[in-house]
Amino acid sequence: IITAHGGVISQRRDDATHIVILNDPNKRYVNPDQDYLRTIEIKGNRARVHWWYFPDSYDQWLSQSEIEGQPEPPMEPQGAWRVTERFITDLKKYNEWMNELDYSEDDVEEEEDDKSTNKAKKNKKKRKSSSSKKSTAMRETKARA
């Protein structure tokens, strides 16, 4: 999968740009069924957003009234990107290089008995609930195209 998309497998960590963290059965994705987005930029009353776990080609311009949050500066890793195994499976699924921020190992948590203590990490934002059906329909249409 990696080499088919122009990547190179390295045997030395120092040469790697990405380190893939294999799935651990004692960990799980934080709220895997939730739709999250990240605001990339704002122009007037429109906001460009990136949907987590979708390639950058799925980014959309939405009305600012449909989302919460301001754009944040781009983040670069200290060293190689540390991404979860899902980065590779989604790369194959969408046939596009994925956005590393979506697959940070911070988005995986230890299983806990009290699930109410689990919190989404980093800057994930849910879309306002009044428009979530609209966003799902847009993404499903785009996925079929």
Side-chain angles (χ1 to χ4, degrees):
I1 297 170
I2 299 294
T3 56
H5 288 85
V8 176
I9 308 293
S10 173
Q11 299 303 317
R12 294 178 26 143
R13 254 183 208 264
D14 294 343
D15 296 337
T17 58
H18 294 71
I19 297 171
V20 178
I21 310 302
L22 299 179
N23 291 342
D24 179 338
N26 297 320
K27 295 185 178 187
R28 67 176 182 84
Y29 287 105
V30 177
N31 299 318
D33 297 327
Q34 295 290 320
D35 288 333
Y36 291 101
L37 59 86
R38 178 172 54 254
T39 305
I40 301 170
E41 68 178 296
I42 294 177
K43 286 188 179 179
N45 66 347
R46 307 285 290 167
R48 193 174 102 198
V49 299
H50 170 77
W51 294 100
W52 285 62
Y53 309 117
F54 287 88
D56 291 345
S57 64
Y58 282 65
D59 292 356
Q60 292 180 293
W61 285 96
L62 302 174
S63 170
Q64 263 193 296
S65 64
E66 294 183 70
I67 62 157
E68 298 173 358
Q70 295 296 313
E72 296 180 10
M75 186 184 95
E76 291 296 322
Q78 303 292 4
W81 288 102
R82 294 180 59 80
V83 295
T84 60
E85 189 176 337
R86 183 175 175 182
F87 180 87
I88 305 300
T89 58
D90 284 354
L91 168 65
K92 181 179 180 182
K93 177 180 178 180
Y94 292 103
N95 198 32
E96 288 185 53
W97 205 257
M98 304 305 288
N99 190 309
E100 292 88 351
L101 292 174
D102 302 351
Y103 300 89
S104 167
E105 67 180 327
D106 290 341
D107 295 322
V108 179
E109 292 185 345
E110 302 277 343
E111 273 297 338
E112 296 180 18
D113 290 338
D114 180 9
K115 298 215 188 313
S116 65
T117 62
N118 288 340
K119 293 186 173 135
K121 298 192 178 193
K122 298 172 77 172
N123 61 344
K124 287 185 176 181
K125 298 171 208 138
K126 287 186 201 175
R127 186 176 181 141
K128 289 182 180 177
S129 60
S130 63
S131 58
S132 62
K133 287 183 182 176
K134 179 180 172 188
S135 68
T136 302
M138 285 181 184
R139 282 196 325 273
E140 287 175 358
T141 300
K142 199 168 193 177
R144 281 187 247 134

